[in-house]
Amino acid sequence: DVGNIWAVGQAGTIRKWNGSTWLAQSSGTMSSLFGVRGSDADNVWAVGQNGVILKWDGSNWMPQTSGTVQSLRSVWVSDAGNVWAVGDGGAIRKWNGNSWSSQTSGTMSTLYSIWGSDVNNIWAVGQNGTIRKWNGSEWSAQTSGNTQNIYKVWGSDANNVWVVGDGGTIRKWKDGQGRYLLAD
């Protein structure tokens, strides 16, 4: 929807595109915000410094209890009851529709980005080539084939997922075979 585009930044900055101009929003925080994502116009989440999580309910940004002081770098939303946030020290937090809880990532590396095709296929990427994949019940390590920081993950479906990072790193998920290949 062209009237529901969000941007976040330093000192709690939140801007909303209404289709013709960017409008300042009141975030209620001075913490820097690093990621924003939503499932619909009434369920948008922003994450940031010191474990800050904010939820847009269609009218206001409301602070959430994240249960962590680790900075959260990225958020991915499947629907109003399935939201994941990742960040410093391998932090992974999951919203179940009522509260945030910790998930075991199996790494202490900062996770910079998270993306999923559905609630059973989610990837988190980060420092030193770290890639973790959620299969619906647990996070497992994936082999990236490099030690460069990976900053973004995105895909078109569960069999077509790309990661990018330092030093020109580009990797593509090998059609569900559990490994990454150099991208063409």
Side-chain angles (χ1 to χ4, degrees):
D1 176 353
V2 295
N4 285 298
I5 299 172
W6 299 91
V8 297
Q10 293 182 332
T13 299
I14 300 179
R15 300 280 189 266
K16 181 182 181 195
W17 178 256
N18 68 4
S20 60
T21 189
W22 287 100
L23 302 172
Q25 304 289 303
S26 176
S27 70
T29 185
M30 289 303 295
S31 293
S32 291
L33 300 171
F34 304 124
V36 62
R37 180 99 30 136
S39 59
D40 58 64
D42 296 335
N43 289 289
V44 180
W45 299 85
V47 298
Q49 191 175 27
N50 302 319
V52 166
I53 299 178
L54 304 172
K55 182 184 184 297
W56 175 256
D57 63 8
S59 301
N60 298 294
W61 285 99
M62 304 299 296
Q64 305 293 301
T65 302
S66 71
T68 186
V69 295
Q70 293 171 305
S71 291
L72 298 169
R73 306 285 174 178
S74 182
V75 59
W76 182 74
V77 181
S78 173
D79 55 59
N82 288 287
V83 181
W84 284 263
V86 298
D88 293 359
I92 299 179
R93 311 296 296 171
K94 183 183 184 303
W95 173 257
N96 65 8
N98 295 307
S99 63
W100 286 94
S101 62
S102 179
Q103 291 195 318
T104 302
S105 68
T107 184
M108 293 302 294
S109 296
T110 294
L111 298 170
Y112 295 116
S113 181
I114 186 168
W115 177 86
S117 61
D118 57 64
V119 297
N120 296 314
N121 290 284
I122 304 170
W123 289 262
V125 299
Q127 281 180 316
N128 306 316
T130 298
I131 299 175
R132 295 291 187 266
K133 183 178 182 299
W134 175 256
N135 65 8
S137 60
E138 66 182 355
W139 289 95
S140 61
Q142 306 297 302
T143 302
S144 67
N146 79 329
T147 58
Q148 299 287 330
N149 291 338
I150 300 173
Y151 294 111
K152 291 293 177 189
V153 57
W154 184 86
S156 57
D157 58 54
N159 293 320
N160 293 285
V161 180
W162 290 264
V163 299
V164 296
D166 282 342
T169 297
I170 301 173
R171 299 285 189 270
K172 181 185 182 289
W173 178 251
K174 178 60 176 163
D175 298 325
Q177 294 179 13
R179 58 194 171 113
Y180 276 83
L181 299 177
L182 292 170
D184 296 327

